[in-house]
Amino acid sequence: MDGLEFYIFEGELWCKSDDGKNQVVDESQTELIKSVLEEIRECYPDAYKALTKEYQKSSLNVPYYQYLIVRRFCKCNFGKLDGTKSDIDRTGRFNFEKVECPLRGECRFEGVVCSPKFNSKLSEAELRVMKLIYQGASKEEIAERLYLSPNTIKNHIKSAYLKLGIHEKSDFIRYANENNLFNN
């Protein structure tokens, strides 16, 4: 997937690719929609679940149903045309924007669809440990704070690294920053 920039123009969702091509996004762009939908399902399962439920009445018309899910996700997270970063880069990573929304603070999808939580594939226990690693705590400090043995902390870190396919703390810090793991 090329780098993509999504934006709203005259109420429609548009997409601009790295090659400068602009197009209205509708249900006919099945490849684009399927690739974005796959990322939403994999990386933002709570958003995917909420949107599939929201648009379930349209589920018999699969291309339209998938389009509705992707359109809503994009409108909530990539609404402006800007030149800073692609909304979806060449690696498929999402770069969210703070989208102006008249329902900010009232919407039941805020924090679920809008600015969704990234699915890191780590357990809650691993996330607790890795958040403290991210904040700069030592293994001993983490063990003391969480009332766990240093060996348990070491095992959580080893398990997290294995799940994420990384090998050291700097790799984890980069991963956490790139995916806004602790910044939501």
Side-chain angles (χ1 to χ4, degrees), residues 58-115:
S58 300
S59 63
L60 294 177
N61 182 346
V62 174
Y64 184 65
Y65 173 64
Q66 292 176 337
Y67 160 72
L68 290 174
I69 293 168
V70 169
R71 181 186 69 179
R72 178 69 174 268
F73 188 86
C74 289
K75 282 179 134 182
C76 288
N77 294 295
F78 310 126
K80 293 183 178 179
L81 179 60
D82 59 22
T84 56
K85 249 187 197 182
S86 293
D87 293 331
I88 303 177
D89 66 21
R90 291 180 182 276
T91 65
R93 184 175 324 281
F94 288 11
N95 298 302
F96 296 135
E97 301 166 355
K98 187 74 169 179
V99 176
E100 291 179 27
C101 177
L103 298 177
R104 183 80 57 223
E106 299 175 27
C107 181
R108 65 189 167 106
F109 292 121
E110 197 165 345
V112 177
V113 174
C114 302
S115 302

Side-chain angles (χ1 to χ4, degrees), residues 1 27 29 54 64 69 76 79 88 111 115 123 127 137 147 150 153 168 172 176:
M1 180 182 335
E27 62 194 89
Q29 279 91 26
E54 179 73 7
Y64 184 65
I69 293 168
C76 288
I88 303 177
S115 302
S123 71
L127 276 172
Y147 303 102
I153 300 304
E168 54 191 58
F172 178 74

